[in-house]
Amino acid sequence: MNTLMNIVFFASIVLYFVSSVLLFSGSVFKKQTLLKLAWIGTLTGFAVHTAYAVMRGVVAGRIPMSNQFEFATMMAWGCVLLGVILRVRLKADWILSIAVPIAFIVQSYAALQPRDINELMPALRSAWFALHIGTAVFSYASFALAGCIGVKYLVSAKKGGETAASEHLDQLDRLAYKLIAFGFLMLTIVILSGCVWAEQAWSTFWSWDPKETWALITWIIYAIFLHQRLRKSWRGKRMAWFAIIAFICVLFTFAGVNTLLPGLHAYA
């Protein structure tokens, strides 16, 4: 079973890589055939990825989100899911050119982590597990997409000047804002559910564990953006730079804390 699971896991990485290449080539050479093949490849990769998550969940007897490997692979899955939904709603292939490469990179990072299936720690055996970790997956995935849209905004603006394709730039701006707002909502649920769960597991709502602290810092940063968004000056390039810089904080919360500041959340 482990061999089959490994084949399925690496197959999803290969499919995301191939789809990323097709998306890039189709966009550069304006070939709809390549973009259609990329769409098929993305859906196939997502189906294979979903199959892997189900298989791992069945073998483990739990939701597969209990360690760094599992969280990373589910974050990649969340990126593709959001990308597929947005592509269907907006009918824009450029969304996949952001979501799929992110998934490939995060899946590749996951491949470097230990893939052993272990029993849940006693502290993780809680009804709050699925809500707390599941919302974190979509929060991080949303922030990742928003950060990369910020990069695309800056590149698009530089290529054509300040007034370049204003409609497209406005679309990028609004989409990044909506993704940040959604990610912020999910992160709020992460923190609140974590507080309740921590009280049950460790008899304290907040312990200033490094993971908790950096999650709060991330929440505050995005809260500042959403507040300042009411001001017109926090649109356009300011939004793009914010989305990029804020996502760096997310990356540190996701991977850096575990490496440099291990604490109660060292398992994830």
Side-chain angles (χ1 to χ4, degrees), residues 102-162:
I102 293 174
F104 168 71
I105 292 171
V106 177
Q107 275 285 76
S108 298
Y109 166 78
L112 300 176
Q113 307 301 312
R115 295 192 297 278
D116 299 333
I117 297 177
N118 301 312
E119 291 290 329
L120 281 178
M121 296 172 57
L124 297 182
R125 297 169 189 167
S126 168
W128 293 99
F129 176 76
L131 177 64
H132 181 69
I133 309 299
T135 49
V137 164
F138 286 105
S139 175
Y140 285 21
S142 297
F143 292 147
L145 292 181
C148 290
I149 288 175
V151 174
K152 182 173 177 60
Y153 184 100
L154 294 175
V155 172
S156 298
K158 186 174 182 180
K159 278 184 177 179
E162 294 293 332

Side-chain angles (χ1 to χ4, degrees), residues 66-69 121 123-124 133 197 202 258 263-268:
S66 70
N67 54 42
Q68 191 77 349
F69 165 77
M121 296 172 57
L124 297 182
I133 309 299
W197 188 4
W202 300 310
N258 287 0
L264 293 172
H265 290 77
Y267 49 81

Side-chain angles (χ1 to χ4, degrees), residues 218-255:
T218 302
W219 185 90
I220 291 173
I221 290 173
Y222 282 106
I224 291 172
F225 167 77
L226 292 175
H227 175 72
Q228 293 295 330
R229 176 73 181 189
L230 298 176
R231 299 171 55 187
K232 188 175 181 179
S233 59
W234 276 73
R235 299 171 187 268
K237 287 187 177 180
R238 284 196 178 186
M239 174 285 303
W241 279 112
F242 177 90
I244 296 168
I245 295 171
F247 181 59
I248 293 174
C249 182
V250 173
L251 286 176
F252 184 78
T253 304
F254 167 53

Side-chain angles (χ1 to χ4, degrees), residues 209-214 252 255-266:
D209 176 74
K211 199 83 164 183
E212 295 174 352
T213 303
W214 276 93
F252 184 78
V257 169
N258 287 0
T259 304
L260 303 175
L261 305 169
L264 293 172
H265 290 77

Side-chain angles (χ1 to χ4, degrees), residues 10-251:
F10 284 104
S12 70
I13 296 179
V14 172
L15 285 166
Y16 288 150
F17 175 75
V18 172
S19 298
S20 297
V21 173
L22 290 171
L23 284 163
F24 177 77
S25 301
S27 298
V28 170
F29 298 109
K30 309 297 182 184
K31 297 291 186 180
Q32 286 299 316
T33 301
L34 295 179
L35 293 177
K36 288 180 180 178
L37 289 173
W39 174 237
I40 294 172
T42 298
L43 293 178
T44 304
F46 182 70
V48 171
H49 196 163
T50 302
Y52 174 77
V54 172
M55 291 168 64
R56 188 174 179 94
V58 170
V59 172
R62 55 172 171 74
I63 297 175
M65 294 187 293
S66 70
N67 54 42
Q68 191 77 349
F69 165 77
E70 292 177 348
F71 186 88
T73 194
M74 291 309 297
M75 177 181 166
W77 181 86
C79 286
V80 179
L81 176 61
L82 291 176
V84 168
I85 292 173
L86 291 172
R87 194 271 185 187
V88 171
R89 291 195 60 182
L90 301 179
K91 294 180 173 56
D93 289 304
W94 64 262
I95 294 173
L96 292 182
S97 68
I98 290 174
V100 179
I102 293 174
F104 168 71
I105 292 171
V106 177
Q107 275 285 76
S108 298
Y109 166 78
L112 300 176
Q113 307 301 312
R115 295 192 297 278
D116 299 333
I117 297 177
N118 301 312
E119 291 290 329
L120 281 178
M121 296 172 57
L124 297 182
R125 297 169 189 167
S126 168
W128 293 99
F129 176 76
L131 177 64
H132 181 69
I133 309 299
T135 49
V137 164
F138 286 105
S139 175
Y140 285 21
S142 297
F143 292 147
L145 292 181
C148 290
I149 288 175
V151 174
K152 182 173 177 60
Y153 184 100
L154 294 175
V155 172
S156 298
K158 186 174 182 180
K159 278 184 177 179
E162 294 293 332
T163 59
S166 59
E167 184 177 344
H168 179 58
L169 293 179
D170 287 343
Q171 183 186 42
L172 292 174
D173 181 88
R174 290 193 302 271
L175 184 56
Y177 166 66
K178 290 178 181 179
L179 284 167
I180 287 175
F182 176 70
F184 180 79
L185 173 62
M186 293 294 101
L187 185 58
T188 301
I189 296 174
V190 170
I191 292 174
L192 293 178
S193 61
C195 288
V196 177
W197 188 4
E199 197 281 330
Q200 294 179 354
W202 300 310
S203 301
T204 178
F205 286 103
W206 195 267
S207 60
W208 295 105
D209 176 74
K211 199 83 164 183
E212 295 174 352
T213 303
W214 276 93
L216 179 60
I217 291 172
T218 302
W219 185 90
I220 291 173
I221 290 173
Y222 282 106
I224 291 172
F225 167 77
L226 292 175
H227 175 72
Q228 293 295 330
R229 176 73 181 189
L230 298 176
R231 299 171 55 187
K232 188 175 181 179
S233 59
W234 276 73
R235 299 171 187 268
K237 287 187 177 180
R238 284 196 178 186
M239 174 285 303
W241 279 112
F242 177 90
I244 296 168
I245 295 171
F247 181 59
I248 293 174
C249 182
V250 173
L251 286 176

